[in-house]
Amino acid sequence: MKKNILVLCASILILGLMAFGFVNRSTSESNKINIPDNLNLASNQGPSQNMDFRYFADYIYDVGTRFGPIKKEDLNKVTSFADFMEDDDAKKIVTYKFVEVIVIENDKESNIRESGNSGELTSAQLKLLRTSDYSISLKIIADVTQKNYKTGELEESYWTPHLTIVPEKQAVYLKGKDVLMEFLRENSKESWVNVVEDKLQPAKLYFTVTKNGTIENVALDSSSNFPEVDQRMIELIKQTPGKWQPAENSKGEKVDQELVLSFGLMGC
């Protein structure tokens, strides 16, 4: 009798161990993550086409004027270098060594310039300013001696305002600037796939909003160092949906205005 009991217990123990092993194996298999055989976990083919592009969207900065805007009408009222400055800064200046007005062409100082040795602009400088048309960019250099109000001492200094002449009423994208920037970001995603941040450069794209509200004269001024990105931005400016409201002069007449799209790295 005792022998039969021992055999029965042993049999029950064996069956229990087999059942536990089966349940444990089934549980482990049910917790496994199924990885498709064709999934490449260490791809060397670059970023996925479905990657999140919010990071690269930060590389489309602005649509506006090349430098700080100054209205043609306001430029015609200027008579001295101090008119280009804030009052507190102008009051620091004790003497002027020279003041030069320079026209900027293709992002470089041109030979179109007029010099003087006073804070009051010369007749030649005034003529240059007042005959410069819309979208012309200017650099005004002043070599001065100014007073440091903290120390009370005189010190040498340079002031170099950079300005772009704009119409009294600038061109406007009717759907709004935020909509325009979103359109550029969303539709340029694929062109940023192979961008390497360390090789990215500050880029600028010029275009003209004509007095008819059309986009013309689209041209790359400086490259991002990634031709695919440059070309896509050119295409998007040309294909921007919606309408532009043309710029107007002081008489209410519609005029052309050049604008700049800045992308790539932040630059001057």
Side-chain angles (χ1 to χ4, degrees):
M1 179 70 177
K2 186 180 294 185
K3 181 177 180 181
N4 291 338
I5 293 174
L6 289 175
V7 171
L8 177 62
C9 289
S11 300
I12 292 172
L13 178 60
I14 292 170
L15 289 172
L17 290 173
M18 291 176 63
F20 176 78
F22 175 79
V23 170
N24 186 54
R25 184 178 64 184
S26 299
T27 303
S28 297
E29 289 179 352
S30 67
N31 289 333
K32 285 183 180 179
I33 298 174
N34 292 321
I35 302 177
D37 293 336
N38 61 352
L39 180 62
N40 185 356
L41 297 179
S43 173
N44 60 1
Q45 298 176 355
S48 166
Q49 293 292 332
N50 296 318
M51 69 177 289
D52 186 344
F53 285 89
R54 286 176 295 176
Y55 180 69
F56 284 107
D58 292 338
Y59 288 117
I60 300 176
Y61 294 109
D62 195 19
V63 176
T65 56
R66 175 65 179 90
F67 298 117
I70 183 168
K71 293 180 180 179
K72 179 70 172 173
E73 195 172 43
D74 292 336
L75 187 63
N76 290 340
K77 298 175 183 178
V78 169
T79 60
S80 69
F81 181 79
D83 292 330
F84 296 112
M85 308 177 69
E86 298 292 335
D87 289 342
D88 289 344
D89 291 327
K91 290 175 181 177
K92 297 177 184 178
I93 298 176
V94 179
T95 57
Y96 288 85
K97 294 182 180 180
F98 76 84
V99 173
E100 191 167 28
V101 178
I102 306 170
V103 173
I104 302 296
E105 293 181 339
N106 300 320
D107 282 345
K108 296 180 181 179
E109 296 182 9
S110 74
N111 291 325
I112 305 173
R113 57 181 69 199
E114 295 291 346
S115 300
N117 53 14
S118 168
E120 296 299 315
L121 299 176
T122 67
S123 58
Q125 288 175 325
L126 292 174
K127 182 179 179 180
L128 175 56
L129 291 175
R130 291 169 184 172
T131 56
S132 294
D133 206 350
Y134 297 119
S135 300
I136 294 294
S137 291
L138 304 164
K139 179 179 180 180
I140 322 294
I141 301 176
D143 184 357
V144 304
T145 301
Q146 64 183 33
K147 186 175 183 178
N148 186 318
Y149 287 140
K150 291 183 178 180
T151 65
E153 298 180 353
L154 297 180
E155 55 189 21
E156 304 300 316
S157 185
Y158 269 86
W159 290 87
T160 58
H162 287 65
L163 305 166
T164 298
I165 304 173
V166 299
E168 280 58 42
K169 187 176 181 181
Q170 295 193 62
V172 176
Y173 183 62
L174 290 178
K175 291 185 177 181
K177 186 174 180 178
D178 290 343
V179 173
L180 175 60
M181 297 296 286
E182 185 66 16
F183 166 77
L184 296 173
R185 291 188 181 105
E186 286 300 311
N187 290 278
S188 64
K189 285 180 177 179
E190 291 186 2
S191 67
W192 292 92
V193 168
N194 296 315
V195 166
V196 179
E197 185 180 11
D198 291 345
K199 296 182 179 180
L200 199 59
Q201 299 291 330
K204 291 191 180 294
L205 179 68
Y206 286 76
F207 63 98
T208 299
V209 180
T210 72
K211 57 186 177 183
N212 298 318
T214 59
I215 300 298
E216 294 183 3
N217 305 323
V218 181
L220 186 68
D221 178 70
S222 53
S223 172
S224 66
N225 202 32
F226 290 87
E228 185 178 354
V229 172
D230 297 341
Q231 184 58 40
R232 185 56 179 156
M233 302 314 295
I234 290 172
E235 292 170 354
L236 290 175
I237 285 295
K238 291 180 178 179
Q239 299 168 4
T240 300
K243 296 181 179 180
W244 287 81
Q245 179 176 299
E248 296 180 7
N249 61 21
S250 58
K251 298 178 181 179
E253 299 168 336
K254 291 180 172 56
V255 295
D256 295 348
Q257 183 182 5
E258 183 181 73
L259 294 176
V260 181
L261 166 63
S262 302
F263 60 100
L265 287 184
M266 179 69 79
C268 61

